[in-house]
Amino acid sequence: MRILLAVIAGAFCSLGIVGPSSGLSLQAPARETPARETPAPPLTAYSALPTISLVRLSDDGTVLASLRQTDDQAEVLIQAVDGQLITRVDVSDRKVTGVSWLSPDHVGIHSSVYEGGLTIGATELPQLDIVNVRTRGVARALRTADRAVINAVYGHARRVYRGRPALYVEAITNQDNAYTLDVYRVDMDSGRGVRVAEGNRDTTGYLLGQDGEPAVRIALATDSGRLRLSVPDGLGWKQIFERTELIDTPNVWGFGPEGDSVLVGVTENGRDVMLELALADGARRERLELPGAPNHSLYDRQGRLLALGVGGDEVAWIYFEPKVEAAAAIMQQGLRGRRVSLVSLGESYDQIIAYSVGVETIGDSGTYYLYDAVARRVSVVGRAYPAVPNDQVGPVRRIRYVASDGLEIPGYLTVPSGLPVRALPLVVLPHGGPQSRDYSDFDWLAQALASRGYAVLQPNFRGSSGLGEAHLQAGYGEWGRKMQTDLSDGVQYLAGEGLIDPDRVCIMGASYGGYAALAGVTLENGVYRCAVAVAAVTDLTSFLEGQVRQQGSGAESRNPVVRYWNRFMGGAGSGDRRLDERSPARRAADVTAPILLIHGRQDTVVPFSQSTTMERALEMAGKPVELIALENEDHNLSRAATRRQMLEATVAFLERHNPPDTP
């Protein structure tokens, strides 16, 4: 069960009413630069969770379901597209991760629940509540079932059973001390589940046919990295695909355009590739080379992949449905200068929800639009951060600089709105992951710091994803090494351009970025005046030991999570004492700058103990440190109150140790 839960839950931690018609012309005016003395929005404008998110369209395109959040209140709002309220559900007591239409009359509210008492240790369990739009009733999926099932939904699919809409979910059954990922059919009004398909111990997922029966079974042997796809053949299961990858496991994206094939993403010869395999026998129908790693996807209600987004700032969309491609072209043309993503579709594709953001030239912090192809109308659904006026959004510049070994590093520089960009104080803000990346989107933390007078550098250092295999692989083994100097090389570049003051630089980050912040003041003395580390890894060997315990017994060499971390850390597991020299907690005596540690007590990715270990080491070394514990908070700062606490403490710390210019 330990391995199964970890794989399914993603143990690889690499973080208004519809307005009037605005017509089809959505050209935005050029950004107007405000006077320098224009007051910045309060910090709460940035720390607040998005006012509107997770907007989803009903089958017929006439009803919207969305998550609305103000202060510490949250609700899922279900309303007609003309603004008429149908019902609302208070979700202030949970962490909502998704909203979906499960049938023409049922809306699913997906949430993540912290569980600290399981035998596998603390974890987040995904749960699903079902709202009947007609009766206003709410049921918890799998509250009861015909088997001993863990009340957690790891996947769901809309299908038909006896001529009626039906919901099928993936959940873990505990039977005779054996744990398997099985398929349950769930009554959408009572939440009761009935098991309809049983998996094996290595089953990690399914693709379900239109009758609700498994059409593809996905199995992964985590110790060997062997992935297998099997289909029913009348007598049992027939294997149609197999690939062994110790770390880079292929992605199963869904059914192909006609529903009789499966799409699998793999890496071949250093290139990202999409394979289309026939369900009947696994025959390869097509091999499509992708211009980068996929990071966006859009599906229809039968699980067919409609569109795949690849790349970074200019996302290259690959469309499998011409009607969706045509609608996307219209939206992109009307919203020039912004990144546009399609997020939800009506069943006929005539109504589409799109999300746009444009912080480089327009100052749009994020807006949802409803496009109606029949009425030829575009309506504004709502803005994600309405308390941040467009003219107060800090401009974002794309930059590129050359690291000390010649590798080109792309990144972003967010600058204060209305201030001259010269000799500014700087905050370096490396992303987490580290196999992740930053975008030129509205980043609430970078924008908050820029609003206080700081330039903010977000480098996509080596090891970042979405920039090609060569850039990713250049980070292997470079924790605390070249991944770290990529950051200080960026400081040197900005100083050389006259944009920042090299004597006024601090560093801040979360997760891996938190490690980088601490490494910046232990391994690279003299670059940074202070450091803020949120949910940081501070002791590499003890972190790896915790990963081994969480994943269960067995040799570390067969542990997929440890394999992943060994790749980036350049070590040989938790017993490799060479990692100590790159562990900030082991280098506390080298610190010459004040440090602020911030960590959520319910963090299931990086244990809270990583921050207390760093705090003790600094105190024993007589170094300045402060630790702020965020109560009831997770790894991703999911709650508005604790986000506000973190941001206010961070800004106060930065202003004390690296004060910005005053108007």
Side-chain angles (χ1 to χ4, degrees):
M1 176 185 179
R2 297 183 180 186
I3 290 292
L4 182 59
L5 269 175
V7 170
I8 296 170
F12 293 89
C13 55
S14 341
L15 276 179
I17 303 300
V18 176
S21 167
S22 60
L24 289 177
S25 178
L26 293 172
Q27 293 295 324
R31 176 196 293 270
E32 294 182 3
T33 302
R36 183 177 178 180
E37 61 269 13
T38 302
L43 289 178
T44 53
Y46 302 94
S47 63
L49 298 172
T51 300
I52 180 173
S53 60
L54 305 176
V55 183
R56 300 294 182 263
L57 264 173
S58 63
D59 292 19
D60 61 7
T62 64
V63 181
L64 293 173
S66 62
L67 176 63
R68 308 296 178 110
Q69 298 174 108
T70 56
D71 298 326
D72 294 324
Q73 298 297 312
E75 62 182 8
V76 171
L77 198 65
I78 302 171
Q79 60 182 149
V81 295
D82 63 5
Q84 181 180 355
L85 178 66
I86 296 175
T87 190
R88 53 173 26 111
V89 180
D90 190 332
V91 291
S92 303
D93 62 341
R94 71 200 77 173
K95 185 169 58 181
V96 176
T97 58
V99 174
S100 62
W101 284 89
L102 305 177
S103 85
D105 297 318
H106 295 86
V107 169
I109 302 175
H110 307 260
S111 58
S112 183
V113 178
Y114 175 80
E115 294 287 349
L118 297 178
T119 57
I120 61 169
T123 189
E124 297 265 352
L125 293 181
Q127 295 189 332
L128 173 61
D129 292 296
I130 307 168
V131 182
N132 187 313
V133 176
R134 291 179 293 100
T135 67
R136 279 61 167 177
V138 180
R140 170 67 55 82
L142 298 180
R143 186 179 296 277
T144 61
D146 65 342
R147 296 290 191 278
V149 64
I150 296 175
N151 185 209
V153 172
Y154 290 98
H156 76 281
R158 295 181 49 170
R159 295 297 182 261
V160 175
Y161 178 67
R162 294 180 178 176
R164 297 172 57 85
L167 173 66
Y168 292 83
V169 303
E170 297 176 2
I172 296 174
T173 305
N174 177 4
Q175 183 170 309
D176 300 327
N177 292 320
Y179 295 89
T180 55
L181 185 70
D182 301 337
V183 178
Y184 286 79
R185 185 175 60 250
V186 174
D187 183 281
M188 284 186 275
D189 292 318
S190 69
R192 177 171 174 76
V194 175
R195 188 169 70 174
V196 297
E198 182 178 357
N200 295 324
R201 292 198 179 195
D202 62 353
T203 300
T204 57
Y206 302 86
L207 295 181
L208 300 184
Q210 295 313 300
D211 58 359
E213 295 294 325
V216 179
R217 188 170 69 187
I218 307 165
L220 175 65
T222 55
D223 58 345
S224 66
R226 179 185 177 217
L227 178 92
R228 295 177 294 117
L229 304 184
S230 302
V231 298
D233 65 356
L235 299 176
W237 292 88
K238 177 178 64 175
Q239 182 174 302
I240 63 169
F241 177 80
E242 178 179 341
R243 182 70 64 95
T244 298
E245 297 285 353
L246 287 176
I247 300 177
D248 300 315
T249 305
N251 292 312
V252 180
W253 285 98
F255 291 115
E258 304 303 323
D260 61 350
S261 62
V262 58
L263 300 176
V264 183
V266 300
T267 301
E268 293 184 345
N269 299 319
R271 303 283 297 179
D272 292 294
V273 174
M274 178 74 75
L275 304 178
E276 182 180 4
L277 309 173
L279 291 180
D281 55 9
R284 183 179 294 193
R285 292 183 178 176
E286 187 175 359
R287 179 186 183 276
L288 177 65
E289 283 205 10
L290 306 177
N295 48 34
H296 298 78
S297 57
L298 189 67
Y299 295 86
D300 70 3
R301 283 153 171 78
Q302 287 73 48
R304 294 186 307 134
L305 185 63
L306 299 175
L308 192 67
V310 177
D313 294 310
E314 281 81 28
V315 175
W317 284 93
I318 300 169
Y319 293 95
F320 302 94
E321 169 54 55
K323 197 169 183 179
V324 175
E325 183 174 11
I330 292 173
M331 292 298 292
Q332 187 64 73
Q333 181 179 12
L335 293 167
R336 288 194 185 120
R338 314 182 196 205
R339 281 179 14 114
V340 178
S341 298
L342 305 186
V343 297
S344 184
L345 306 166
E347 199 164 27
S348 66
Y349 313 142
D350 287 325
Q351 293 80 31
I352 295 178
I353 295 292
Y355 181 74
S356 79
V357 62
V359 296
E360 296 182 65
T361 58
I362 295 170
D364 180 7
S365 62
T367 305
Y368 286 94
Y369 294 92
L370 170 62
Y371 167 60
D372 189 323
V374 176
R376 294 189 56 79
R377 181 175 62 201
V378 175
S379 303
V380 176
V381 178
R383 293 188 63 215
Y385 288 91
V388 181
N390 284 359
D391 62 2
Q392 287 285 350
V393 174
V396 176
R397 301 181 176 189
R398 302 186 200 184
I399 64 170
R400 287 184 176 273
Y401 59 90
V402 178
S404 55
D405 67 347
L407 182 68
E408 188 176 66
I409 306 297
Y412 308 99
L413 183 69
T414 303
V415 297
S417 179
L419 287 179
V421 185
R422 60 176 180 269
L424 289 169
L426 176 69
V427 177
V428 179
L429 188 64
H431 60 71
Q435 190 172 333
S436 179
R437 63 157 294 167
D438 279 314
Y439 295 88
S440 60
D441 290 347
F442 182 89
D443 184 304
W444 66 271
L445 180 53
Q447 289 287 332
L449 298 177
S451 76
R452 267 50 199 170
Y454 296 98
V456 182
L457 171 63
Q458 294 174 278
N460 281 319
F461 46 84
R462 71 191 69 209
S464 299
S465 60
L467 297 163
E469 280 297 305
H471 193 84
L472 173 65
Q473 293 177 12
Y476 294 171
E478 296 298 335
W479 271 54
R481 294 169 173 157
K482 292 180 181 179
M483 286 168 65
Q484 194 67 37
T485 56
D486 285 349
L487 311 182
S488 51
D489 287 341
V491 174
Q492 184 177 0
Y493 164 77
L494 295 175
E497 295 292 310
L499 303 177
I500 64 103
D501 181 350
D503 294 326
R504 295 191 296 162
V505 181
C506 284
I507 184 168
M508 176 185 185
S511 195
Y512 170 79
Y515 165 84
L518 296 175
V521 293
T522 53
L523 306 182
E524 287 193 294
N525 283 333
V527 180
Y528 307 104
R529 295 180 62 171
C530 61
V532 181
V534 182
V537 176
T538 69
D539 187 306
L540 302 187
T541 54
S542 68
F543 175 74
L544 289 175
E545 288 169 357
Q547 297 294 304
V548 174
R549 287 194 300 271
Q550 185 175 0
Q551 297 301 307
S553 59
E556 287 191 21
S557 61
R558 296 197 301 270
N559 187 305
V561 179
V562 174
R563 285 199 299 258
Y564 174 84
W565 291 122
N566 284 343
R567 164 190 275 185
F568 277 99
M569 292 178 182
S574 61
D576 189 347
R577 306 318 305 183
R578 293 174 299 173
L579 296 176
D580 291 349
E581 65 186 32
R582 287 180 283 138
S583 295
R586 311 268 180 168
R587 302 285 299 267
D590 298 328
V591 171
T592 58
I595 290 175
L596 175 63
L597 303 170
I598 303 174
H599 212 134
R601 289 192 182 275
Q602 292 185 354
D603 192 334
T604 60
V605 178
V606 177
F608 182 76
S609 60
Q610 285 287 306
S611 284
T612 57
T613 295
M614 187 72 193
E615 180 190 34
R616 286 194 301 270
L618 289 167
E619 288 177 342
M620 291 179 63
K623 304 297 182 178
V625 62
E626 179 183 1
L627 171 60
I628 296 177
L630 303 178
E631 303 297 333
N632 302 316
E633 185 54 277
D634 61 14
H635 186 69
N636 299 313
L637 298 177
S638 300
R639 304 184 187 280
T642 39
R643 271 176 44 155
R644 180 170 62 248
Q645 181 185 0
M646 182 280 289
L647 183 57
E648 290 174 348
T650 294
V651 169
F653 179 82
L654 292 174
E655 290 179 342
R656 184 163 65 251
H657 298 289
N658 193 29
D661 299 320
T662 57

